[in-house]
Amino acid sequence: MSTNPTIDSCTVETSDGVKLHTTIFKPNQYEEQEKNSWVVILVHPYSILGGSQGLLRGIANGLSRKGYKAVTFDMRGVGRSTGKPSIFGFKEIKDVVAVCKWSIENLSVNKILLVGSSAGAPIAGSAVEQVEQIVGYVSIGYPLGLMASILFGRHHKNILKSPKPKLFIMGTQDGFTSIKQLNNKLRCATGRVEKHLIEGIGHFELEGPAYDSHMVNLIVDFIDSL
């Protein structure tokens, strides 16, 4: 599929009244009926360090070209979303849950793949068990290292204990998480756990547009395996 997606925007309200600026990428046609039942929801990097849904636009656009609906959104306090960002990312879990529930109700889908990038990965991971229709999870550069764990360590157990299938994508030169730290954490994970390492790539390189198409292919392959 190579046609340009239809891109719409809307406002999604959270359970505590925050209004989130949300963007929906819809394929203009579907090659397979099975793809109609899926939506990929992408959770952006750390709000306090400038993370926004714009960083995930390339991946969302690529997924829609592959025939999948994709949704990005600005978490609270970012862009046109109301509210204030939280330091540890716990209030933002409500943002993820709200967008997931809105998608189920409004996009004619019944299966969600939740994708988190950088600090969005622990936040997304904490939402996985809160929405029944989330059937899989992908992390892009999950910050598992010692310093990052000061901020996001309390999220770790939520995804590691989830029985839902998980894929962790990381560059071998991540900077925030070593391969040893990743392997140690994944040893105690429940259920199906996969990892994909990209040799010689750092944390912010992995987030960059040069790797968008690679991320799209990994995400689509993971969906196909579910």
Side-chain angles (χ1 to χ4, degrees):
M1 175 160 308
S2 60
T3 56
N4 291 327
T6 299
I7 302 175
D8 297 318
S9 63
C10 70
T11 298
V12 173
E13 187 166 346
T14 69
S15 60
D16 58 347
V18 172
K19 296 179 179 179
L20 306 173
H21 179 220
T22 303
T23 306
I24 307 98
F25 298 76
K26 298 178 182 177
N28 286 329
Q29 57 184 340
Y30 300 100
E31 292 179 340
E32 299 174 24
Q33 187 66 29
E34 174 63 20
K35 294 182 180 180
N36 290 339
S37 63
W38 283 93
V39 62
V40 182
I41 296 176
L42 300 115
V43 184
H44 67 70
Y46 199 30
S47 301
I48 291 174
L49 293 182
S52 71
Q53 65 175 315
L55 296 172
L56 298 170
R57 184 181 181 90
I59 297 175
N61 190 61
L63 289 166
S64 66
R65 288 175 179 270
K66 295 281 190 178
Y68 292 97
K69 296 170 186 171
V71 175
T72 64
F73 63 100
D74 285 324
M75 288 189 277
R76 59 186 62 208
V78 175
R80 286 187 271 166
S81 295
T82 65
K84 295 181 179 179
S86 67
I87 294 174
F88 301 109
F90 285 102
K91 290 183 179 179
E92 283 79 358
I93 300 169
K94 295 179 180 178
D95 301 349
V96 179
V97 170
V99 172
C100 288
K101 291 183 175 179
W102 181 92
S103 297
I104 292 296
E105 294 169 1
N106 293 276
L107 297 181
S108 300
V109 296
N110 56 31
K111 289 184 284 188
I112 296 170
L113 181 75
L114 195 55
V115 179
S117 177
S118 190
I123 294 168
S126 286
V128 164
E129 287 300 316
Q130 296 192 29
V131 180
E132 179 184 357
Q133 293 87 353
I134 297 173
V135 297
Y137 165 87
V138 175
S139 156
I140 301 173
Y142 197 119
L144 285 163
L146 179 60
M147 293 304 295
S149 293
I150 294 172
L151 288 173
F152 307 116
R154 286 183 289 169
H155 291 278
H156 294 175
K157 65 179 181 180
N158 294 324
I159 188 57
L160 294 175
K161 290 184 177 181
S162 171
K164 296 179 181 180
K166 299 171 277 291
L167 169 64
F168 290 79
I169 304 168
M170 197 180 80
T172 59
Q173 302 298 320
D174 182 272
F176 291 103
T177 305
S178 68
I179 303 303
K180 181 179 180 181
Q181 288 167 330
L182 177 67
N183 289 337
N184 285 342
K185 285 290 186 180
L186 297 189
R187 283 193 192 100
C188 63
T190 301
R192 172 183 160 190
V193 183
E194 299 178 21
K195 66 180 178 182
H196 181 90
L197 302 178
I198 302 177
E199 190 66 35
I201 299 303
H203 185 88
F204 297 107
E205 287 178 274
L206 193 63
E207 291 179 9
Y211 286 88
D212 285 350
S213 61
H214 195 169
M215 297 303 106
V216 169
N217 290 333
L218 290 172
I219 290 167
V220 169
D221 287 347
F222 189 64
I223 292 173
D224 288 344
S225 73
L226 297 176

